[in-house]
Amino acid sequence: GQPNGIHYVPTDAGGDDPPVDRPTDRTTVHIAADDRVFRETLTLWLSDDEQWEPREAADGAEALSKLDGTVDAFVSTDGAESEVVGRLGETAFDGPVVVLSAFEPDDHLADVDVDVDVDTYLTKPVDRETFVGTCVDVVERSGTPDTST
């Protein structure tokens, strides 16, 4: 049995229903990072502003499976970026890409055309102001929903 007498019964409820109370002007940012703490930190930084709707993926494969036309911007970090950035054409995603890495682009993304595939490349460490400001900048340049208030 379940602890405390709680019984969970799987249902199909809400499977294909649209999200409730989701403002249409929110900007969806998909964050792929294998470092859970770093991924959650980036998510929290964006979550502080109701204009953002951050989503998370723990690795490149999960990110690729979740990238679609509803995502406005994509953030990838060490361990995921070269795998994902090189395969973005396989998804319905067509937005700006931000890469955060401990490596310089020349060292780490030699097999990816950074000028074409990546809109902004940030070298870690990165602070909240730089990260959020970069997300605002790439979204504004791409013409996705306005995040300024």
Side-chain angles (χ1 to χ4, degrees):
Q2 299 290 332
N4 302 326
I6 298 172
H7 300 281
Y8 297 97
V9 178
T11 69
D12 291 330
D16 292 326
D17 295 336
V20 179
D21 297 328
R22 178 182 183 258
T24 56
D25 61 346
R26 290 183 70 174
T27 301
T28 302
V29 178
H30 194 70
I31 301 168
D34 55 356
D35 179 333
R36 180 185 59 80
V37 173
F38 188 62
R39 181 178 68 246
E40 290 174 356
T41 298
L42 297 176
T43 299
L44 286 171
W45 287 349
L46 289 178
S47 296
D48 281 346
D49 185 333
E50 66 185 28
Q51 294 296 319
W52 299 103
E53 181 178 323
R55 298 180 185 170
E56 299 179 42
D59 58 36
E62 183 182 356
L64 284 168
S65 72
K66 293 182 175 181
L67 277 172
D68 58 28
T70 67
V71 177
D72 297 306
F74 176 60
V75 176
S76 187
T77 68
D78 292 328
E81 77 270 1
S82 58
E83 173 188 355
V84 177
V85 172
R87 296 179 55 195
L88 287 175
E90 300 172 18
T91 71
F93 172 73
D94 185 30
V97 177
V98 176
V99 170
L100 290 113
S101 179
F103 302 94
E104 293 298 325
D106 294 342
D107 299 335
H108 200 55
L109 290 175
D111 59 336
V112 176
D113 185 348
V114 176
D115 292 332
V116 173
D117 297 327
V118 176
D119 294 88
T120 301
Y121 192 98
L122 297 174
T123 304
K124 294 180 192 175
V126 64
D127 61 29
R128 176 190 187 131
E129 183 178 334
T130 301
F131 174 67
V132 174
T134 297
C135 289
V136 168
D137 184 50
V138 298
V139 165
E140 286 177 354
R141 284 187 285 155
S142 71
T144 50
D146 183 10
T147 58
S148 60
T149 53

